[in-house]
Amino acid sequence: MLFTVYVLRVHDGDASFITHYVPEGWFALADGSSMRAFAAHFPDPGLLAPCLLRIPSALELPFGLLSFVTVLRWFDRGLYRRVATSWMVWAASLSYTFCFCVVEWVLHTPYTVDDIVIRVCTGLVTPLLVQRLARQDTDAPAVSSFPQMLLFAISVWALGQLVLTVYDTALLYNLGHLAGRLPGALVTAAILVAARRQAARTPQGGGTGLALASIGTGLRWALALFFIPALAVRYGVNFGTPLVAGVAGLLICAAGAVHALREGLAGAGPRRTMLWAAQVAVALLAGGAAGAAAVLLVTDTYYEAGVLRAAALCFAVAVTVCALTDRWIDRRFATTPPRTTAPGCDVPGKDRAEGDVGGRPM
């Protein structure tokens, strides 16, 4: 908003002095009567020159890191605290800062050197902020039940939508888009608040089935592994290496799946393992189909909006399939007498038959 005042008063509303340095899609300024009236009464607008590119350079890293660790905290408070208080937050800050600086250099402007200096400074300060917040946090159970996982998917989708709104209207200086985005942003914010309030009230419930638990374990590992290279993968799509970015993302998902297999299937018999494989295959096919439809049926201004919608819907459908099939398998096993019990995997209140239906958290 202050940048808009600066352009209206100092450059007579003409942003061409900066637009030729950046790709298409920036600087859609708000130029209505209310904005012009506000700008006309603003004292000494020349002092607002630092609003151009340099203030976003100071805010972008904490905005990105805090958004990521918020998602971690929603899913697994213990994992969040371990990651946020470890060397990983410094590695992520270094990785993100390096990516931001490379992009600054590629999109060279008269303010590039200033922006790089600012980004290096925020790269040193932001991890301290994240670690301080994490150390002051309290413990809470990790997300494991089906209702909690659905609420998590809704929350991440809503947070991502709000992040994209801020990205477009503030970081790209498209304040002129705010009027069109504001109604949707208000609805999304209400959905996010409702989802987080309901998540706080929803108990974890009883035991979690094997397939559902393995999905949770795989996602925990994937989030932790994705933390450091996240921004490099995101910018790889935009800056000429989409294949490398896609392969990197798939490798991270594969690593999470390997850990889910190793931890989730410990103690499961051959029969239950085969059923688990069928469950996960159906869940992934159904989730993948839903995610693909979510991308193909809607045209997005930013590809991240489609990826976000597809990922949230894919996860919600996959956990729904796993929860339903886990429940069916649990009932089938409950009608047969127990044959073996996996060491250290007792379920309170009953013996565990061959084909353990639970999963161990990471």
Side-chain angles (χ1 to χ4, degrees), residues 11-357:
H11 294 275
D12 297 323
D14 182 9
S16 61
F17 72 99
I18 189 63
T19 53
H20 65 279
Y21 289 106
V22 296
E24 207 173 312
W26 291 52
F27 301 108
L29 302 181
D31 195 14
S33 56
S34 299
M35 189 69 233
R36 284 193 170 273
F38 175 73
H41 293 88
F42 198 92
D44 207 349
L47 295 177
L48 300 177
C51 293
L52 176 55
L53 300 181
R54 281 153 288 186
I55 288 181
S57 297
L59 299 179
E60 205 166 11
L61 177 66
F63 186 60
L65 271 180
L66 288 170
S67 297
F68 199 112
V69 297
T70 295
V71 172
L72 276 179
R73 184 179 182 275
W74 285 343
F75 198 67
D76 189 329
R77 191 81 63 89
L79 175 63
Y80 153 69
R81 293 182 68 183
R82 291 195 299 274
V83 168
T85 57
S86 72
W87 61 269
M88 292 181 67
V89 72
W90 288 98
S93 180
L94 175 63
S95 172
Y96 294 13
T97 300
F98 175 78
C99 292
F100 283 136
C101 290
V102 169
V103 173
E104 289 281 5
W105 195 258
V106 171
L107 303 177
H108 209 84
T109 73
Y111 316 103
T112 291
V113 174
D114 293 354
D115 292 340
I116 289 176
V117 171
I118 292 170
R119 289 190 185 280
V120 170
C121 292
T122 58
L124 297 174
V125 173
T126 304
L128 298 174
L129 170 64
V130 173
Q131 290 187 330
R132 179 179 176 82
L133 292 172
R135 291 192 182 103
Q136 293 175 344
D137 205 359
T138 57
D139 290 326
V143 167
S144 61
S145 69
F146 173 57
Q148 286 277 0
M149 287 192 180
L150 284 184
L151 289 168
F152 170 77
I154 294 170
S155 300
V156 173
W157 169 81
L159 176 66
Q161 289 287 2
L162 294 175
V163 167
L164 286 174
T165 298
V166 174
Y167 174 79
D168 179 48
T169 59
L171 297 180
L172 300 187
Y173 296 97
N174 293 324
L175 193 60
H177 296 171
L178 184 59
R181 283 185 170 270
L182 189 58
L186 292 175
V187 172
T188 302
I191 292 172
L192 177 59
V193 171
R196 297 320 306 158
R197 286 173 63 89
Q198 187 60 37
R201 297 171 180 173
T202 302
Q204 288 296 330
T208 302
L210 180 60
L212 190 62
S214 64
I215 292 289
T217 299
L219 182 59
R220 286 181 180 87
W221 277 100
L223 287 172
L225 294 171
F226 197 61
F227 182 48
I228 296 173
L231 198 68
V233 172
R234 178 254 185 267
Y235 275 130
V237 176
N238 294 87
F239 287 88
T241 56
L243 181 61
V244 175
V247 170
L250 288 175
L251 287 175
I252 291 170
C253 293
V258 168
H259 285 288
L261 283 169
R262 186 186 67 186
E263 298 181 18
L265 294 179
R271 178 184 172 191
R272 185 64 184 94
T273 300
M274 292 177 63
L275 288 171
W276 172 88
Q279 286 179 269
V280 172
V282 172
L284 292 178
L285 286 173
V295 172
L296 297 175
L297 296 177
V298 181
T299 301
D300 298 288
T301 303
Y302 299 107
Y303 85 93
E304 293 94 340
V307 172
L308 173 67
R309 185 173 58 254
L313 186 58
C314 176
F315 180 76
V317 171
V319 297
T320 299
V321 171
C322 288
L324 292 175
T325 53
D326 276 337
R327 184 174 299 179
W328 178 79
I329 290 171
D330 286 350
R331 285 200 300 263
R332 287 291 301 269
F333 281 173
T335 62
T336 59
R339 294 166 55 190
T340 60
T341 301
C345 295
D346 297 330
V347 176
K350 67 176 182 177
D351 292 330
R352 218 176 226 192
E354 178 190 4
D356 178 15
V357 295

